Amino acid sequence: MPPRKTVLKLSGVERHYGQGETTLTILKGADFELRSGEIVALVAPSGTGKSTLLHLAGLLEHPDDGEVYIGGQSCNGLPDNERTAIRRSEIGFVYQFHHLLPEFSAVENIMMPQLIAGLSKAEAKERAGQLLDYMRIGHRADHRPSELSGGEQQRVAIARAVANAPRVLLADEPTGNLDPETASYVFDALEALVRQSGLAALIATHNHELAGRMDRRVTIEGGKVVEL
């Protein structure tokens, strides 16, 4: 098996927030690498910087110091339009709440990022249908979010996140609103998608059973990313 490529790298990353006259340090010299085809669990307690780490990795925030690399390219200093372009093409996001557009069907929700990226309607629909089939909900393609179960909604959200074939999938408590059985089923689908496509996934979760099924587990201690 060829060596896995590093697709996301944080090097000496620092993030501070002003709080009145004091400065709150969230990340201090944090280093982290994510390789293609692997799923890493981020299991840090609330308030230690999980969301900050995901926001920096997803180019939603700028580090105060250090470097963020996507596919070997440093993203520091890039203008906002270039950061946005990288975010759209290289990074997929899944949140605890699915954030599906309520007026559109499942297949239309998955088509949306592809249409924004410039694909034709026919290409976007074909890709969306394939992803729905892969997530085992192809029969729900024409249903709106309100007509889907929680697990189905989240599988649509995952399919939408990977519709543009990103290198990196970032997920913040993607099964947090689901019962244990449904959470396990959704993770099964997500894991199969990662293994099949070779993308890399960083998943913040409080579910220790799911974390134990991932390739690695990391936490945040003293502003640094620590392997468990």
Side-chain angles (χ1 to χ4, degrees):
M1 179 182 292
R4 293 172 171 175
K5 293 182 179 179
T6 297
V7 294
L8 168 67
K9 181 179 179 181
L10 277 63
S11 178
V13 165
E14 308 228 344
R15 191 70 175 102
H16 315 285
Y17 296 101
Q19 214 174 44
E21 295 182 355
T22 63
T23 298
L24 182 65
T25 296
I26 303 297
L27 296 173
K28 186 175 183 180
D31 299 312
F32 175 71
E33 290 191 21
L34 185 65
R35 294 178 287 275
S36 59
E38 74 169 349
I39 307 177
V40 176
L42 177 58
V43 293
S46 297
T48 56
K50 286 200 310 292
S51 293
T52 297
L53 183 68
L54 290 171
H55 289 169
L56 290 169
L59 307 184
L60 295 169
E61 292 186 29
H62 294 264
D64 295 306
D65 201 359
E67 297 273 343
V68 177
Y69 300 87
I70 303 290
Q73 176 186 4
S74 173
C75 298
N76 288 26
L78 293 178
D80 286 344
N81 64 321
E82 290 188 32
R83 288 170 64 89
T84 298
I86 291 172
R87 195 162 54 239
R88 284 179 177 169
S89 64
E90 305 287 352
I91 304 168
F93 296 92
V94 182
Y95 299 98
Q96 183 171 352
F97 301 100
H98 54 78
H99 296 301
L100 298 175
L101 299 170
E103 65 272 27
F104 294 106
S105 67
V107 71
E108 289 169 339
N109 266 278
I110 301 169
M111 289 171 63
M112 199 65 62
Q114 301 176 78
L115 296 174
I116 292 171
L119 265 70
S120 70
K121 190 172 181 180
E123 289 174 313
K125 189 170 185 178
E126 181 179 5
R127 166 80 169 156
Q130 290 171 347
L131 286 167
L132 284 169
D133 287 341
Y134 199 85
M135 301 299 281
R136 301 181 186 175
I137 48 172
H139 61 293
R140 308 289 274 166
D142 296 323
H143 290 71
R144 293 186 179 185
S146 61
E147 301 170 308
L148 303 174
S149 70
E152 288 170 339
Q153 290 171 345
Q154 201 63 320
R155 277 181 277 167
V156 173
I158 292 168
R160 179 183 59 183
V162 302
N164 285 336
R167 293 176 190 254
V168 179
L169 179 67
L170 302 173
D172 194 354
E173 297 289 348
T175 63
N177 281 336
L178 306 176
D179 63 79
E181 184 178 356
T182 304
S184 180
Y185 194 79
V186 168
F187 181 78
D188 287 344
L190 189 155
E191 181 181 26
L193 193 61
V194 169
R195 304 304 186 202
Q196 184 268 340
S197 65
L199 65 85
L202 176 61
I203 302 175
T205 182
H206 283 107
N207 188 323
H208 290 283
E209 181 180 345
L210 292 185
R213 295 171 54 186
M214 301 188 207
D215 299 319
R216 295 189 286 135
R217 292 180 302 144
V218 297
T219 188
I220 300 174
E221 293 180 0
K224 297 185 182 299
V225 180
V226 179
E227 195 99 13
L228 293 174

